[in-house]
Amino acid sequence: MDVSQDFNARAQQALSDAPLQSALAKAGSGFIDKRRAAASVEADFEEMRDQAKEVRERSLRDLDIYIQHFEAQVTNAGGHVHWAESVEDLRRIVLEICHQAGARHVTKGKSMVSEEAHLNQALEDADITPWETDLGEYILQLAQEPPSHIVAPALHKTKGQIEQLFRQAHDLGERDLEAVKALVDEARTVIRDRFLSVDVGITGANLLIAETGTAMLATNEGNGDLTSSLPRTHIVTTSFDRVVPSWDDAAKIMRVLGRSATGQTVTSYTSFFSAPGATPNKDGPENFHVVLLDNRRTEILDSEYREMLHCIRCGACMNHCPVYQTVGGHAYDSVYPGPMGAVLSPLIRGEKQDYELANASTFCGRCEEVCPVRIPLPKLLRYLRNEEQLKFPKGLLERAPIAAFAALARRPRLYRWATNTGASLLRLLSGRRGRLRSIPGMGSWTRHRDMPAPEKQSFQTRWQNKQRSDNNTDDVFFRQ
Amino acid sequence: MGAQVTELDSAAEVPYWLSQLPFSSQRLALSEQPEVSGLDWSRFTVDSDYASHGQMGVVKASMAAAETGTVLMHSHDVPTGLLYLVDRLVILLDRAQIKARYEDMWSARSDAPSRDTPRATHLITGPSRTADVEQTIQVGAHGPREVLVVLLP
Amino acid sequence: MTVGLFVTCPVDILRPSVAESTVALLEACGYRVEVPAQSCCGQVAFNNGEPDTTRQMAWDLVKAFENCDYVVAPSGSCGGMAKCHYPELFQGDGRLPEVERFCDKVYELTSFLVEVAHYNPTEKVAGLDQRKITYHDSCAGLRELGIKQQPREMLARCAGVEVTEMPETEVCCGFGGTFCVKFPDVSNSMVTNKLHNAASVDADMLLGGDLSCLLNIAGKAHRDGQNVEVRHIAEVLAGDLHTPAIGAAQGPEPEQ
């Protein structure tokens, strides 16, 4: 997809991409039905959401205390915490650790922050090969594409496309890859050896628990555990806003995360990783590094967008978003797509084209309805539209329609005259058909649909006339 | 949760029960926990190289949470590799160690003799799975294809 | 008690019969209806980065209705704008208390009929029992004002109609204010889905509480030749079935 295009161009590409539309259709209702089922089974799911929201609010309120405590705990147990203000810093820090470890290959569990920082490219440029182990990420690595969903990154791929990728990439001769099981088994075999052969494993983290300096990782595949625990060095790439104070707080997030994301009460594996500590462990890395990315999150924390940092990356918002379901994640041109991406991307990247994402929404509110921590996403998108107007002001011509309408609206007589005139004109153009197929200046509407024609005279004019007339019979209301 | 649950009257019965299962393999990896390694495994070949020959592994859970049928093990007791590199994982669990909720598991741990936080605490709820191919759930992604929980008194 | 009719721009300009039906319903409940000179709630300005302009328009609306006990709108989105979003515009403004008093008296039509007026007419609207009638839940009405059961309840009470629910009744129709003109192809895909869903239950009539949604849906239905009669719920509850449906011609369809 050519990312220099605007959203509309990418959307058009997406709409005419038949395999993508087929993949989106399969995914769309699945996630929605599963979440609904999981939520309806729990009598107190709403209570769980309130508790999760409270945890995130409290976490951010004293964030600096908790993150410092986190660092102290990690360090005391023999681990290392690194602060990366920018994505360049994150790349540099990870490369340094990999060089120290003498790593030529690294395994990777899914980490959105590593995508945000384009870490894989940096590793490759330094002659270190990253091996993605999450099946979705692995598929994307073969396809050389970015993720299109934060939980199911290869959502946009059909089974047929995955089969083709595997045939091209794996030199395994004749075999039947028709069934999903065959594809998954093949990936299991190919990736298994990699887990065992590397010196460094890089994962993300769903949460950071300040109480004990622990990173929580929720997966279904088990790849996160193999990536983190088999090599001598484990690097966690994440952002500082994932911190929560205690294990009890983490439990409250666990309760809404799986249910909101995939409809599971909990993922198959929820693991908690800390530095080695003094007491011997049966196995595991000697070196535990946590790299905390900022990338403007400190600014977000102090702004009206603070609530965006509550996000626990469940993906429910994009699963339920009718725009995302229509165009898929790549149309957003960001590692964070959908509603949460439409808010987060302009905040961390700040480019003019990112603000377009805030416009590509009908504010239907379904995202906020399903967000496990109740982030008011439509309101934040509206704030971004306000901000866009200040940072990248629209030209006079573009602002004119709303300004003109507002000026009219404030002058009732003029408003009535103008609306009556406009309505009469439209009615004239529609003849007796009751609708118009095209209207000058409204090509965007009439490209795909007719415009129903107005009735004679605006309501307010009719009402005023009726008040003045002597006849006050009821049948006036249904006169044509 | 996708895990099979069996009840036995005592840990001593475990090796025999396991040997009678239709899929049962000869090779077995055991955790070093005395409650596991101390059982009579003479019917099997104990092979600690689960990385190469990972067929079946037996571990003992520290505790479990009833709210989601989740068992807990940690790295002071069990190597992570054993939990994830075997095809079939057998988890022994004492009923008395089943707590109601996650928070109850955390407090049970802090009641225990003071130790460092283990490097890894694993909550396991079923076998490994993925839905990355057209949202079709497929078991046995990277971790075990099958998880069997044995409930003991 | 006096009810101020909040006409809303789409109704005022494009389909006054909806307002007339609304007045008829309110009067049937025994209220005196006033229509103070008014214009726009400011939603389009609000959603497009113009908070100052919105605030001016909002204050005009608040003042227009200051002598009414209730403010009733045949619209979930305009009603939602006035009821839910106005306080945000006046935070830190001395006018906030008066604005909040205004917000308290704002209602969408069907919720007013059910919750305040307890409207239950003895004389039912006739002629709808053979129709397959489906209902589109407009986003703002649903999520900002909790409008879901009320229109269905009123259809049952006024016309003995049980709604034939279509799939994804709560999914956006793709109008979204400026969205439909800024992102026409995405909007088109969404409204196409909406019509597919209506067709999948063989609906021959589609109702809703927001005229903007209905203009969008009807406009698309006519362009694609889908045979579904689109009306605002106010019209049906008031028994106005002879005003041509939205987008329909007067009398027989003329030659193409």
Side-chain angles (χ1 to χ4, degrees), chain C residues 56-211:
Chain C
Q56 290 172 344
M57 295 166 81
W59 185 243
D60 286 348
L61 200 73
V62 168
K63 295 308 281 180
F65 286 96
E66 60 187 340
N67 295 319
C68 300
D69 299 305
Y70 297 104
V71 178
V72 175
S75 163
S77 74
C78 310
M81 174 68 196
K83 192 176 186 72
C84 304
H85 294 294
Y86 276 11
E88 180 189 322
L89 284 165
F90 291 88
Q91 288 303 311
D93 188 311
R95 298 172 286 180
L96 181 61
E98 192 173 343
V99 170
E100 284 176 330
R101 279 197 296 278
F102 165 80
C103 297
D104 280 341
K105 46 187 194 185
V106 171
Y107 287 84
E108 179 272 349
L109 174 63
T110 61
S111 72
F112 183 80
L113 292 174
V114 172
E115 292 154 26
V116 180
H118 308 294
Y119 184 52
N120 202 352
T122 41
E123 218 180 284
K124 311 282 181 196
V125 172
L128 291 172
D129 32 324
Q130 296 310 307
R131 307 295 299 274
K132 268 224 162 122
I133 301 177
T134 195
Y135 196 85
H136 163 65
D137 292 306
S138 300
C139 302
L142 174 68
R143 298 189 178 95
E144 290 179 5
L145 298 177
I147 310 296
K148 177 73 183 184
Q149 285 317 309
Q150 301 90 323
R152 291 161 172 82
E153 175 69 31
M154 288 314 302
L155 281 168
R157 284 190 203 172
C158 295
V161 163
E162 194 190 326
V163 166
T164 305
E165 302 289 356
M166 58 181 170
E168 302 187 321
T169 162
E170 296 182 3
V171 176
C172 184
C173 72
F175 177 75
T178 53
F179 177 87
C180 62
V181 295
K182 283 187 181 172
F183 302 96
D185 298 317
V186 184
S187 172
N188 177 51
S189 179
M190 291 164 73
V191 72
T192 304
N193 277 346
K194 181 61 64 176
L195 284 169
H196 278 158
N197 286 329
S200 76
V201 295
D202 295 321
D204 57 31
M205 183 182 260
L206 183 145
L207 303 179
D210 266 90
L211 189 60

Side-chain angles (χ1 to χ4, degrees), chain B residues 44-78:
Chain B
F44 298 89
T45 308
V46 177
D47 178 353
S48 58
D49 188 7
Y50 46 77
S52 308
H53 308 131
Q55 282 169 322
M56 198 150 67
V58 185
V59 301
K60 180 117 194 244
S62 307
M63 54 185 111
E67 75 170 282
T68 48
T70 300
V71 296
L72 183 155
M73 279 140 303
H74 59 76
S75 56
H76 289 158
D77 295 334
V78 179

